[in-house]
Amino acid sequence: MEYLFDFPGAKQWWEYFDVCIVDAKKPLFFGEGTILRQVDMETGALKIGSHIGPFLKGQVYSGGSSEVFCELFGVKGNDVLYVGDHIFGDILRSKKERGWRTFLVVPELSQELHVWTDKRSLFENLERLDVALADMYKNLDSSTDRTPDISHIKSSIQNVVHEMDMCHGKLGSLFRSGSRQTFFASQVLRYADLYSGTFLNFLHYPFSYLFRAPHQLMPHESTVEHTDVFMESMMSPGTSRKRTLKEIGKTPERENRLGTHRAATVSGPLYVRPLTPPHITHVHDEDDEE
């Protein structure tokens, strides 16, 4: 840290932070941790005994654990935004062990965005090949005897994917292999609440900004348009068969006591779609876990 702030007019590096913790030994820090000890600012040696008091500004501490950190600060869970550059040692463990909010720093993201914008034609070509592959099986079902020849489309997809990978260098893309996501990309989407090429991008947002993930469609949503008609034949046989009143838990005697006259059988499901609730029934966007 002394080398980072070795320029005229700079303060001591620990003066830029409210609390400084070194030698945390991640990912052990998110588990049982080590003894939290205060560092002697004059000699750099560790003081004898475990630090149990509050954190003091201008002091440096060594070791500790995430549990001790939360206790001394009086915070828990998503009260903490943890910024790190390692998907396992920083992001995954802090999310799974402590439930902290996470921000992953990915320096390679600038190169990824550069290829995404400059080589957009390759991605569009790959999308066209995917559509062409789907059209080869159009209007075919289990009764079809012939097998479409898709060898030329598969070869074209392989060539485009190889060209896309070469745009990222010999090691390929960090997030994508053709139209598929890498394992690293899947971990980023699962465990990182935010990710960026640098934490300095926070300067472009107010402290009160609400970050929300973009809406993602599942496969059954991305392949069916909103204008398509939902037909009863699309349901499973178990929901479209006839059901008697006895099967749905009501007897004719009870119906007569209620003064109602209904048919003995009911065709189709009773409630294909649930009624719209009149009030808000979810709290998915609220931060209060209690």
Side-chain angles (χ1 to χ4, degrees):
M1 295 295 289
E2 293 181 357
Y3 294 102
L4 292 177
F5 295 92
D6 186 14
F7 56 87
K11 299 184 294 184
Q12 296 293 340
W13 64 268
W14 58 80
E15 297 180 9
Y16 290 92
F17 305 94
D18 293 329
V19 176
C20 299
I21 299 178
V22 299
D23 197 24
K25 291 184 172 59
K26 297 176 299 183
L28 186 63
F29 179 80
F30 301 107
E32 59 185 12
T34 58
I35 298 177
L36 179 65
R37 303 173 66 180
Q38 188 172 349
V39 179
D40 191 326
M41 303 299 292
E42 298 294 334
T43 63
L46 300 180
K47 295 185 178 181
I48 299 176
S50 176
H51 181 76
I52 59 176
F55 288 117
L56 302 177
K57 189 173 183 179
Q59 298 296 320
V60 179
Y61 303 90
S62 172
S65 66
S66 58
E67 182 177 1
V68 174
F69 173 86
C70 291
E71 290 179 356
L72 294 180
F73 269 104
V75 297
K76 63 178 182 179
N78 55 24
D79 294 333
V80 180
L81 174 62
Y82 185 84
V83 181
D85 60 357
H86 195 280
I87 187 64
F88 178 77
D90 291 322
I91 305 303
L92 189 147
R93 294 303 297 271
S94 62
K95 173 64 69 174
K96 296 183 67 174
E97 299 292 340
R98 306 305 306 177
W100 288 356
R101 298 294 178 91
T102 53
F103 181 94
L104 177 64
V105 178
V106 187
E108 297 85 354
L109 192 60
S110 58
Q111 173 64 15
E112 296 281 338
L113 292 175
H114 175 74
V115 175
W116 174 259
T117 54
D118 291 356
K119 303 296 180 180
R120 180 60 185 171
S121 59
L122 293 177
F123 292 94
E124 294 175 348
N125 190 17
L126 185 61
E127 291 177 351
R128 286 193 293 267
L129 291 173
D130 288 337
V131 173
L133 181 62
D135 290 340
M136 296 291 292
Y137 293 94
K138 192 174 183 179
N139 299 326
L140 302 182
D141 55 20
S142 58
S143 63
T144 304
D145 295 332
R146 68 183 184 88
T147 302
D149 183 14
I150 61 174
S151 58
H152 64 287
I153 297 182
K154 291 177 61 178
S155 178
S156 299
I157 291 178
Q158 292 175 353
N159 293 333
V160 175
V161 170
H162 175 72
E163 187 176 356
M164 290 171 58
D165 289 340
M166 290 300 97
C167 295
H168 295 276
K170 293 183 178 180
L171 296 180
S173 172
L174 187 63
F175 293 94
R176 185 175 296 278
S177 177
S179 58
R180 299 182 179 182
Q181 294 177 344
T182 61
F183 180 67
F184 174 79
S186 65
Q187 287 189 313
V188 171
L189 293 177
R190 183 174 182 180
Y191 297 109
D193 294 312
L194 299 171
Y195 71 96
S196 179
T198 172
F199 71 94
L200 295 177
N201 288 332
F202 271 133
L203 298 176
H204 301 288
Y205 298 90
F207 290 122
S208 60
Y209 189 82
L210 176 62
F211 291 94
R212 290 181 57 86
H215 179 66
Q216 294 181 344
L217 297 178
M218 296 185 66
H220 73 278
E221 297 171 328
S222 61
T223 55
V224 178
E225 298 293 341
H226 287 283
T227 56
D228 292 342
V229 179
F230 183 79
M231 298 179 296
E232 186 176 351
S233 60
M234 299 171 62
M235 300 185 225
S236 62
T239 59
S240 60
R241 65 189 180 190
K242 292 183 178 181
R243 303 166 65 189
T244 63
L245 291 175
K246 186 176 182 180
E247 290 175 326
I248 63 177
K250 294 182 179 180
T251 60
E253 291 79 10
R254 184 180 180 185
E255 295 294 327
N256 292 333
R257 288 197 302 269
L258 296 175
T260 58
H261 301 280
R262 298 182 181 178
T265 61
V266 179
S267 298
L270 292 180
Y271 303 103
V272 177
R273 296 179 178 84
L275 298 177
T276 303
H279 306 290
I280 297 177
T281 59
H282 69 86
V283 290
H284 301 150
D285 298 329
E286 295 184 4
D287 291 336
D288 189 4
E289 295 180 350
E290 300 178 355

